[in-house]
Amino acid sequence: MRLGFLGINYKKAQLDIRDKISFTDTMKLDFFQKSEAAEVRQCMVLSTCNRSEVYFVYTKEEQEAKIRQAYEDMFPEIDLKEYIDELYGQEAITYLFRTAAGLESLVLGEDQILGQVQEALDYSRTMGFSGKELNRIVRDAVTCAKRVKTELKISEKPLSVSYIGIRMLDRVCGIAGKRILVIGSGKTAALALKYLCEYETEKIYACSRTYSHAKRLREEFPQTAIIPYEERYQVMGQCDIIISATASPHLTVQRAAFEPEKPVTFLDLAAPRDIDTGFESSPYAKLINLDMLQEIAAENRKERERLAKESEEILNEALEETALWLRQSRVDFAIESLQQRCGVIVEDSYLYLNRKMELSPREQKLLKKVLNASLQRLLKEPIRELKRLGEEQEPEEYRRFIEKLFQFE
């Protein structure tokens, strides 16, 4: 039994390609059926916005090409050859472990992928396309990923400038109990509002050049008061914090139009800048700009990379345990067959002797126990040796020899 991996992810394929190769649940079932036709009965599909990958357990080398063809057949309108990655055996297992831990993600160390790996296995199990080997490998990968996240806390080093900016605001001036104006209605502004909602603010205002866009923000953040863009300067006088995150080529907050008369903190999340740098000379103003935040984000990214390297020791330890289990599992069939053969011999011998001798119920039980103990004693060393041989890299020849010696089917 070996693990195989193939698929497409963000490293080779742009979003317009990835959008076309996403698996729906129905498509996953279709792929499982194609895999079954190739005699691959353990298969998992991991389909997210950044990857469309399959993991499968197989026994014959020719199945590798069959699964690849099945994958390509799922998306006949696209030539996938230049995008597909393939890994087999220990390399595939290592990749799965790294993926579950967020070490192969676009955002290094992100948490979401771990749940997606678990959900992918749950779906395969529910549909009857997972087994002992796939379950064990994925479970070990998930356990290892949880250990990496618990011990190293990679994901706790934020990379989003919106997140970092809001956290810096809280350190500089405190957010709870404050009045805040957010200018902008795009993704960055929405993220800023999302993080602001974690605090007990007194009031949050929002505005955008396009009033209808700002109103859409209120659907997601109903506690936000939407004001016309033209009234922003009047509202600023009531606010303690002003955040601007637009794509405007011009300043949205000019010193000439607003002179702070009480302490106010500006957070400029735009490039080019939204907020006039002239506020730096105001005795009442503090200005946080994108350059400061990106410097922190870069430091956090380096720290994540350092922690990712540190996680290799945890990964290697877990990978060795999984590899050992897989090697030993290759002789499980032989051990189980020996045990079953032992049971048949005990039963046949017991029935023969019971017919030849007049035995009491107590003597019958004792006879069966003695016969079973004797054969188990005979098999004890061979089974122990089989398990030891299973720890070696290539136990297949030993397994085949035992099966031939005892004529197992």
Side-chain angles (χ1 to χ4, degrees):
M1 294 282 189
R2 302 183 77 203
L3 182 72
F5 151 82
L6 62 86
I8 292 172
N9 57 48
Y10 70 93
K11 293 181 180 178
K12 286 187 178 180
Q14 297 298 318
L15 184 58
D16 60 334
I17 297 294
R18 301 200 305 273
D19 282 345
K20 297 174 184 176
I21 55 166
S22 178
F23 280 85
T24 63
D25 284 349
T26 301
M27 292 174 69
K28 290 176 187 177
L29 277 176
D30 290 342
F31 182 77
F32 290 159
Q33 290 166 0
K34 291 178 184 292
S35 301
E36 195 170 32
E39 297 182 346
V40 171
R41 296 179 177 83
Q42 296 187 59
C43 192
M44 178 180 85
V45 177
L46 180 59
S47 185
T48 73
C49 60
N50 284 323
R51 64 186 72 245
S52 290
E53 301 172 342
V54 298
Y55 299 84
F56 56 98
V57 176
Y58 67 106
T59 55
K60 301 173 184 176
E61 190 173 335
E62 57 265 27
Q63 290 171 314
E64 297 173 1
K66 291 180 179 179
I67 293 296
R68 175 170 178 137
Q69 188 60 54
Y71 184 94
E72 292 182 2
D73 289 346
M74 296 298 299
F75 311 100
E77 70 281 4
I78 307 171
D79 184 0
L80 301 178
K81 291 182 176 56
E82 64 179 291
Y83 304 114
I84 291 182
D85 284 318
E86 296 178 79
L87 296 170
Y88 299 100
Q90 191 59 34
E91 288 185 342
I93 296 173
T94 299
Y95 179 78
L96 174 58
F97 273 59
R98 291 181 57 82
T99 297
L103 302 180
E104 294 291 339
S105 294
L106 179 60
V107 177
L108 183 64
E110 57 98 1
D111 286 327
Q112 191 176 14
I113 188 64
L114 178 57
Q116 291 167 335
V117 170
Q118 291 175 307
E119 289 171 7
L121 180 64
D122 287 343
Y123 187 80
S124 292
R125 187 187 295 118
T126 300
M127 297 303 160
F129 285 90
S130 67
K132 180 176 72 173
E133 289 79 14
L134 185 60
N135 289 340
R136 174 61 186 256
I137 293 169
V138 178
R139 188 179 75 231
D140 286 358
V142 168
T143 300
C144 177
K146 288 179 178 178
R147 184 183 167 195
V148 168
K149 293 178 183 300
T150 300
E151 294 185 14
L152 301 182
K153 298 179 172 55
I154 296 177
S155 59
E156 293 184 13
K157 297 292 181 182
L159 301 180
S160 160
V161 291
S162 293
Y163 183 91
I164 294 170
I166 299 302
R167 291 298 180 266
M168 182 178 283
L169 270 179
D170 193 45
R171 289 198 302 271
V172 169
C173 63
I175 293 175
K178 299 295 173 62
R179 287 176 170 260
I180 303 167
L181 170 64
V182 177
I183 303 172
S185 56
K187 183 178 179 181
T188 303
L191 278 174
L193 283 168
K194 174 185 173 183
Y195 298 132
L196 285 171
C197 289
E198 296 176 8
Y199 299 86
E200 294 183 0
T201 58
E202 181 180 336
K203 186 84 172 179
I204 299 178
Y205 301 93
C207 67
S208 174
R209 288 181 186 276
T210 306
Y211 189 70
S212 59
H213 292 176
K215 287 178 68 176
R216 282 202 292 268
L217 286 175
R218 191 163 53 191
E219 296 174 8
E220 188 175 355
F221 309 104
Q223 69 273 47
T224 302
I226 306 302
I227 65 167
Y229 181 77
E230 294 75 17
E231 297 178 10
R232 65 192 185 282
Y233 286 114
Q234 293 95 298
V235 174
M236 283 182 201
Q238 307 170 32
C239 293
D240 308 290
I241 296 171
I242 298 159
I243 302 170
S244 191
T246 76
S248 170
H250 309 292
L251 295 176
T252 59
V253 183
Q254 297 185 38
R255 177 79 184 270
F258 175 66
E259 184 61 42
E261 296 179 356
K262 65 182 182 66
V264 60
T265 304
F266 295 95
L267 173 60
D268 191 343
L269 294 175
R273 299 182 188 198
D274 275 352
I275 299 175
D276 196 332
T277 56
F279 285 107
E280 292 175 346
S281 63
S282 168
Y284 291 108
K286 292 180 183 176
L287 178 58
I288 301 170
N289 60 39
L290 208 53
D291 286 343
M292 301 176 192
L293 303 180
Q294 287 176 335
E295 184 177 335
I296 295 172
E299 290 174 0
N300 288 355
R301 191 173 292 108
K302 287 180 181 177
E303 179 65 4
R304 282 197 180 200
E305 290 169 356
R306 185 190 69 77
L307 291 172
K309 290 180 180 178
E310 195 173 318
S311 71
E312 295 296 331
E313 185 175 341
I314 296 174
L315 282 169
N316 290 337
E317 180 183 329
L319 284 165
E320 181 52 38
E321 290 178 6
T322 302
L324 175 60
W325 180 87
L326 284 172
R327 292 196 296 270
Q328 290 179 334
S329 72
R330 295 177 195 172
V331 298
D332 282 352
F333 175 77
I335 292 173
E336 290 170 7
S337 298
L338 281 172
Q339 297 282 16
Q340 291 171 2
R341 181 61 57 85
C342 173
V344 170
I345 292 172
V346 167
E347 190 64 25
D348 289 346
S349 300
Y350 164 77
L351 291 174
Y352 175 79
L353 293 171
N354 196 37
R355 287 196 303 269
K356 294 295 182 179
M357 298 183 291
E358 294 183 1
L359 301 173
S360 67
R362 179 179 178 280
E363 289 171 331
Q364 289 173 354
K365 289 182 180 178
L366 182 61
L367 174 62
K368 184 173 282 191
K369 282 185 178 181
V370 170
L371 287 171
N372 187 63
S374 298
L375 278 179
Q376 289 292 343
R377 183 180 177 187
L378 178 65
L379 292 177
K380 183 178 179 181
E381 289 304 322
I383 288 175
R384 180 183 295 168
E385 187 66 11
L386 268 176
K387 289 182 177 180
R388 186 188 68 78
L389 292 171
E391 297 178 10
E392 299 181 6
Q393 292 295 328
E394 297 296 337
E396 294 294 329
E397 58 184 290
Y398 301 109
R399 181 183 63 79
R400 288 194 293 269
F401 178 75
I402 291 295
E403 291 172 358
K404 182 175 182 181
L405 183 65
F406 289 91
Q407 299 182 355
F408 296 151
E409 295 181 359

